[in-house]
Amino acid sequence: MITIQNNKLKATFNELGAELTSLINLETGKEIMWEGNPDFWGGQSPVLFPTVGALKNEQYIFEGKTYELPRHGFARRRVFDIKNSSENEVIFELKSDGESLKIYPFEFSLEIKYTLVENKLTVSYQVKNLSENEMYFSLGAHPGFAIDTKNGLNYNDYEIAFSNDEKLEIHPLIDNLISNETQTIELENKTLHLSYETFAKDALVMTTMKSRELILRNHKNTDKVIFTFSNFPYFGIWAAKNADFVCLEPWQGIADLENHNQELTKKFGILKLEKNGDWKANWAVEIE
């Protein structure tokens, strides 16, 4: 485990997946991240790369050849190198190798940088195309934030405030694939009130959400998490059944559409990088 901290926050990471496993508010001692209880969901903040969500039949086609990839790609199951670290910042790197090329035929570098400044953790991603030709990929974040159901509180006391949305257009999931149909969730004063039933039909998947700032808060006290992101056009909100967390997930890419022909270059939301090209995005969580 790798740890960085300042006088406000302490963050811990696992080299497996370069995953954020703990974020502690040092002023209150409160843990911000989901505990990773495998009875509900063993993840905490996996990186989704080089695909987000499920592929139809866990397969894709590129240049006439069929490849297999698990849901959310393989990066979360790979050990990252530590490229650089200091007291309040760490940079992890994953590069393509012989094993990755068997299932994903592109040479790449993926860097994830975690930086603490005051009461904010910023997570920055950089993908570089090291191949001789164009590279196709998606990337998503999947951080799970703890919901306090102790001390007289319950899940229904929490809500998510959106900076720029009056309603949410949701793409339902059908066998982990994205429906072409949409459903509308009307918000109350740009706010989604949480309950265990919110995720009874799986994640809320959005491709047209306007907000780039969300606030997870408890209306019974002053607990607040401010979540911001940049260069991620899509978003998911999810929790496992009856589990005390909620995931706020900015994505570049989504699961396959239910009618997708499995061609990687035609996949909705896929990014194309030219030779020597790079792509950057970030999200941040501020604790109040």
Side-chain angles (χ1 to χ4, degrees), residues 159-176:
E159 59 191 22
I160 299 172
F162 295 78
S163 59
N164 292 301
D165 290 276
E166 302 285 350
K167 61 183 179 180
L168 304 177
E169 295 292 335
I170 307 299
H171 291 267
L173 286 164
I174 302 174
D175 295 328
N176 293 324

Side-chain angles (χ1 to χ4, degrees), residues 56-115:
K56 186 182 289 187
N57 300 323
E58 295 193 337
Q59 296 177 331
Y60 68 92
I61 300 168
F62 180 70
E63 295 186 340
K65 184 176 179 180
T66 298
Y67 297 85
E68 293 190 1
L69 271 182
R71 190 180 187 189
H72 294 323
F74 58 77
R76 60 188 177 141
R77 297 186 172 99
R78 301 293 297 272
V79 175
F80 282 62
D81 293 324
I82 299 175
K83 187 173 182 179
N84 195 14
S85 65
S86 64
E87 184 177 5
N88 54 23
E89 182 175 275
V90 61
I91 302 174
F92 294 95
E93 183 178 33
L94 179 68
K95 284 190 170 183
S96 51
D97 57 23
E99 290 301 308
S100 70
L101 289 169
K102 293 176 184 177
I103 56 175
Y104 180 65
F106 305 99
E107 295 190 36
F108 68 88
S109 165
L110 166 60
E111 287 187 9
I112 306 176
K113 179 170 69 173
Y114 295 94
T115 307

Side-chain angles (χ1 to χ4, degrees), residues 120-267:
K120 179 186 287 190
L121 171 69
T122 300
V123 185
S124 305
Y125 304 89
Q126 181 175 32
V127 177
K128 297 179 182 178
N129 180 10
L130 305 181
S131 302
E132 290 300 314
N133 301 303
E134 296 166 340
M135 168 184 167
Y136 293 84
F137 76 98
S138 290
L139 187 147
H142 199 316
F145 299 100
I147 297 291
D148 188 356
T149 57
K150 301 175 183 178
N151 304 312
L153 301 174
N154 59 58
Y155 203 96
N156 297 52
D157 295 327
Y158 283 80
E159 59 191 22
I160 299 172
F162 295 78
S163 59
N164 292 301
D165 290 276
E166 302 285 350
K167 61 183 179 180
L168 304 177
E169 295 292 335
I170 307 299
H171 291 267
L173 286 164
I174 302 174
D175 295 328
N176 293 324
L177 302 181
I178 302 293
S179 171
N180 292 311
E181 305 296 324
T182 60
Q183 299 172 355
T184 300
I185 296 178
E186 298 290 343
L187 301 179
E188 182 181 335
N189 297 323
K190 300 183 180 179
T191 300
L192 175 68
H193 300 283
L194 295 181
S195 72
Y196 291 133
E197 290 71 35
T198 304
F199 310 104
K201 296 181 180 180
D202 212 325
L204 309 183
V205 176
M206 293 158 281
T207 58
T208 59
M209 191 180 84
K210 301 181 184 73
S211 300
R212 292 297 178 264
E213 177 182 287
L214 285 72
I215 300 175
L216 173 64
R217 63 194 181 198
N218 186 313
H219 63 75
K220 282 190 175 180
N221 59 30
T222 58
D223 287 355
K224 184 186 298 184
V225 171
I226 302 172
F227 187 91
T228 55
F229 59 99
S230 175
N231 208 27
F232 288 107
Y234 316 125
F235 206 85
I237 304 176
W238 174 78
K241 183 179 180 181
N242 296 330
D244 293 333
F245 70 87
V246 64
C247 290
L248 304 179
E249 307 180 40
W251 299 332
Q252 172 59 72
I254 59 174
D256 276 352
L257 300 178
E258 56 182 333
N259 61 349
H260 180 49
N261 63 7
Q262 297 182 278
E263 287 283 351
L264 184 66
T265 61
K266 304 298 183 182
K267 179 176 169 62

